[in-house]
Amino acid sequence: MNQPLRCTSFSAAPQPAEVSLATAALSPTLTEKRHSFVQGVLKGTRELPLFCNPLAIFVVNWVLMLVALSFQITYVTYPAKGLPVLLFALSLGSFLFGYLVVRTLLHRWPTHSEALPYTLDVTRLWQINLMLSCAALLIIGFNWFFSGAPPALDDPASYLTYGRFKQALFPLLVVVTVNSMLDTSRWRKMLFAIFGITGLALYMTRGLLMVAFFQILFVFSLKTQMSKRKIYTIAVGCLALAVAAVTLIGNARTAQWAFLEYLQIRHKYSDWPMAYLWLISYISIPLSNLCWLFAKGNFHGPTLSFLYPLLPSFLMPANPHASIHNDLRIIDGASTYLAAYALDFSYLGVYLANLLLGIGCGWLMERSLPRNILVASMFLTCLSFIFFSDMFTPLSTILQFAIQSVVQRKCFQWGSAPVKGMVPE
């Protein structure tokens, strides 16, 4: 039977000899200082809402891309239906193959389909968050001193070229924002969240604000004991809030006339609300761009350019496929998560990329959920943005995966019963 989530906080207190031994057996390092703990239960995979299922996320993304493409919102949107449907069929087929094979193989061993109790070291969590905040503040200060005020306070149009060390800064700010939601102190939660969100807003990074909101939603959905109906209601509200936020930032850094002209929006859509235009264009244009890549058929063999995002920006070679952006039918550079693999390997790249993604999602369902709550929420978030670009490979994502892996190892204990002799704060 699943136990309700218990958010009881504990701190170390003088213990009798036998209780001290029990506490030390649980975690010797936690008895050296006064630490606060919270106990709870993570949902098993059978209890998760549908939007935490990677297969559902994958299918919904592709359906949204195809539906948005059908609006033909720009003058250069790919007009034919055959190629988009072919790419969808190939992607879904290879994804399902990898996903089902891995789940079938791994299902032979025990999985975490049932609820999983945990103990969270809140003290260590906020100490790590404080350390990460200080590191982020140093980078922000460095950029402010050498590059002037951030884009939100100076020139919003400079957001692409402003400052240095953003590959390290943005993961820090996202981690601080997401992990603040696990804190039991309202003041710390509010301060860390405000710091992280403000830092991302200063750099006009609406995409990363969306990433942070999505990760928070996934973490919340994995640990809350609310009914699915309430979770779905909260999810819809969070999505509406996120769309409103990115629309405001988008309007602040790009004038409406510039948006309509640059994205070549059809005249009949020009009077639509900007929230609709941002959403439909940013979902449909990448798929349209991908289709134009295949329609042009300029594939010259592998260049391994799909690995370039793993490098620091100062070591990144020139893009060997930069010439494709000279085609006016390809807008804004984004071409879904498949662009780099398609340019290097054509249809084989589409097949292999989705096969690997299916394998990763199968592993996630059988081995990572719910135990790896922070890393799993990142993976699900990256999967949620496949309509736009490949978020799995950038160095900033790898750094965030590394940080959250450390946080999980340092702050979470699994399956631990309450420690006898520990008293509430």
Side-chain angles (χ1 to χ4, degrees):
M1 297 291 293
N2 295 332
Q3 300 297 323
L5 180 66
R6 293 178 293 175
C7 295
T8 307
S9 186
F10 297 95
S11 61
Q15 309 289 329
E18 64 274 11
V19 175
S20 296
L21 290 175
T23 306
L26 174 67
S27 179
T29 59
L30 299 184
T31 61
E32 297 173 1
K33 299 180 180 179
R34 297 178 63 86
H35 279 227
S36 297
F37 305 90
V38 62
Q39 294 178 337
V41 179
L42 298 181
K43 288 185 174 182
T45 54
R46 296 175 181 174
E47 300 176 346
L48 296 179
L50 188 61
F51 61 79
C52 289
N53 185 308
L55 177 58
I57 295 174
F58 183 86
V59 173
V60 168
N61 259 289
W62 269 99
V63 170
L64 287 176
M65 285 192 281
L66 294 173
V67 171
L69 189 70
S70 69
F71 279 89
Q72 296 287 301
I73 196 169
T74 79
Y75 285 107
V76 294
T77 298
Y78 190 78
K81 298 180 180 179
L83 183 55
V85 173
L86 173 62
L87 292 174
F88 169 58
L90 178 60
S91 298
L92 181 61
S94 53
F95 178 91
L96 283 176
F97 179 72
Y99 180 78
L100 295 176
V101 166
V102 169
R103 292 209 65 179
T104 300
L105 292 176
L106 293 180
H107 199 64
R108 297 166 60 186
W109 292 276
T111 63
H112 297 297
S113 57
E114 302 299 331
L116 179 65
Y118 68 88
T119 301
L120 173 65
D121 187 338
V122 179
T123 301
R124 185 163 291 162
L125 177 73
W126 72 255
Q127 288 174 345
I128 294 175
N129 245 10
L130 180 62
M131 179 182 66
L132 298 178
S133 298
C134 290
L137 194 59
L138 286 175
I139 297 176
I140 293 174
F142 175 89
N143 286 333
W144 203 317
F145 182 81
F146 286 100
S147 303
L153 302 179
D154 187 18
D155 179 13
S158 68
Y159 70 97
L160 289 176
T161 58
Y162 175 84
R164 300 179 62 184
F165 307 112
K166 289 182 285 189
Q167 287 174 300
L169 173 62
F170 293 156
L172 295 176
L173 292 173
V174 172
V175 166
V176 168
T177 304
V178 173
N179 291 358
S180 67
M181 298 297 108
L182 297 173
D183 205 318
T184 54
S185 166
R186 293 183 179 179
W187 286 106
R188 288 197 302 266
K189 180 181 297 187
M190 181 177 64
L191 290 174
F192 282 129
I194 290 175
F195 174 77
I197 292 173
T198 301
L200 293 171
L202 286 175
Y203 280 73
M204 307 295 286
T205 56
R206 60 181 178 185
L208 287 170
L209 281 170
M210 287 283 285
V211 166
F213 284 137
F214 269 62
Q215 288 190 37
I216 290 171
L217 176 61
F218 285 126
V219 169
F220 172 80
S221 301
L222 290 172
K223 65 187 289 292
T224 185
Q225 297 302 302
M226 288 183 178
S227 66
K228 288 185 179 181
R229 185 174 183 177
K230 291 183 178 179
I231 294 176
Y232 287 131
T233 302
I234 291 173
V236 172
C238 289
L239 182 60
L241 177 63
V243 171
V246 299
T247 301
L248 290 174
I249 293 177
N251 292 342
R253 73 186 194 187
T254 307
Q256 182 172 354
W257 67 266
F259 169 85
L260 297 174
E261 180 179 336
Y262 180 69
L263 296 186
Q264 306 178 57
I265 302 296
R266 290 181 183 272
H267 179 71
K268 66 179 181 179
Y269 295 115
S270 60
D271 58 347
W272 279 27
M274 285 297 290
Y276 293 155
L277 293 179
W278 279 115
L279 191 61
I280 296 175
S281 62
Y282 267 59
I283 294 177
S284 65
I285 288 176
L287 179 57
S288 173
N289 291 346
L290 181 66
C291 292
W292 282 121
L293 294 182
F294 279 95
K296 292 177 65 176
N298 295 328
F299 303 108
H300 304 294
T303 63
L304 300 183
S305 60
F306 65 93
L307 295 176
Y308 290 177
L310 292 171
L311 300 174
S313 56
F314 60 88
L315 292 178
M316 195 174 297
N319 182 3
H321 306 295
S323 62
I324 66 171
H325 301 297
N326 296 330
D327 190 328
L328 296 179
R329 296 172 299 182
I330 297 177
I331 305 174
D332 205 27
S335 303
T336 80
Y337 66 112
L338 296 171
Y341 311 102
L343 287 169
D344 273 350
F345 303 100
S346 187
Y347 288 100
L348 178 62
V350 174
Y351 176 82
L352 293 177
N354 284 290
L355 178 66
L356 291 175
L357 186 57
I359 290 173
C361 290
W363 178 273
L364 178 75
M365 289 299 293
E366 293 295 332
R367 287 293 179 268
S368 291
L369 287 175
R371 180 183 293 270
N372 296 318
I373 177 174
L374 298 178
V375 172
S377 69
M378 278 193 61
F379 190 94
L380 292 173
T381 299
C382 292
L383 186 64
S384 299
F385 285 87
I386 59 174
F387 67 88
F388 191 72
S389 65
D390 179 14
M391 295 186 61
F392 295 96
T393 56
L395 178 61
S396 57
T397 301
I398 302 304
L399 291 176
Q400 192 180 344
F401 269 115
I403 293 171
Q404 293 293 56
S405 296
V406 172
V407 173
Q408 285 184 168
R409 187 170 64 252
K410 294 292 185 181
C411 300
F412 282 87
Q413 298 176 25
W414 304 105
S416 301
V419 179
K420 184 178 179 181
M422 302 184 76
V423 297
E425 283 187 326

